[in-house]
Amino acid sequence: MLLIPVIENCFKHGASKNIGDMVIDIDVKVSEDLLHFKVSNTIPEQSADSLIPIRSGGIGLSNLKKRLELGYKKEDYHLSIYEKDNMFNVILKLKV
């Protein structure tokens, strides 16, 4: 349930608002006692005639942060959210 909002956001805020080439990369692996989860998607380009706003105030990532804070000790996870090279990236390392 923690991972679903991140994947949904790729399609909701990336693919559905992007005209042209779109990349969604989802990588999940378990190594020893850690789940490594990385999701990246192309940041949509704003076209001059586009009526679709690029950013909207979604609650998916805020809910993810709250769920992690409520369900796990601070030292049992690391969440990183950033933009780089026209890609929106979410990386979660979670002790399992």
Side-chain angles (χ1 to χ4, degrees):
M1 296 304 287
L2 287 171
L3 309 180
I4 292 171
V6 180
I7 295 170
E8 285 176 341
N9 279 353
C10 287
F11 293 93
K12 180 179 177 185
H13 298 290
S16 70
K17 295 181 182 179
N18 202 358
I19 298 171
D21 293 337
M22 176 67 197
V23 174
I24 295 176
D25 184 32
I26 301 171
D27 185 34
V28 181
K29 71 178 182 178
V30 177
S31 174
E32 296 181 21
D33 63 345
L34 282 179
L35 170 76
H36 299 268
F37 177 69
K38 180 180 180 187
V39 176
S40 303
N41 65 273
T42 308
I43 297 171
E45 293 182 22
Q46 180 83 36
S47 66
D49 58 345
S50 175
L51 299 176
I52 303 171
I54 294 300
R55 307 248 185 242
S56 62
I59 60 171
L61 292 176
S62 336
N63 283 342
L64 171 61
K65 291 175 187 176
K66 289 177 188 174
R67 288 177 186 160
L68 287 168
E69 290 170 1
L70 291 172
Y72 297 88
K73 294 183 221 172
K74 194 75 163 167
E75 62 270 12
D76 288 344
Y77 70 91
H78 176 74
L79 178 64
S80 178
I81 302 169
Y82 63 95
E83 293 179 11
K84 182 179 179 185
D85 298 328
N86 201 37
M87 297 290 287
F88 186 81
N89 303 281
V90 177
I91 299 174
L92 174 63
K93 295 178 184 175
L94 181 64
K95 189 173 183 180
V96 291

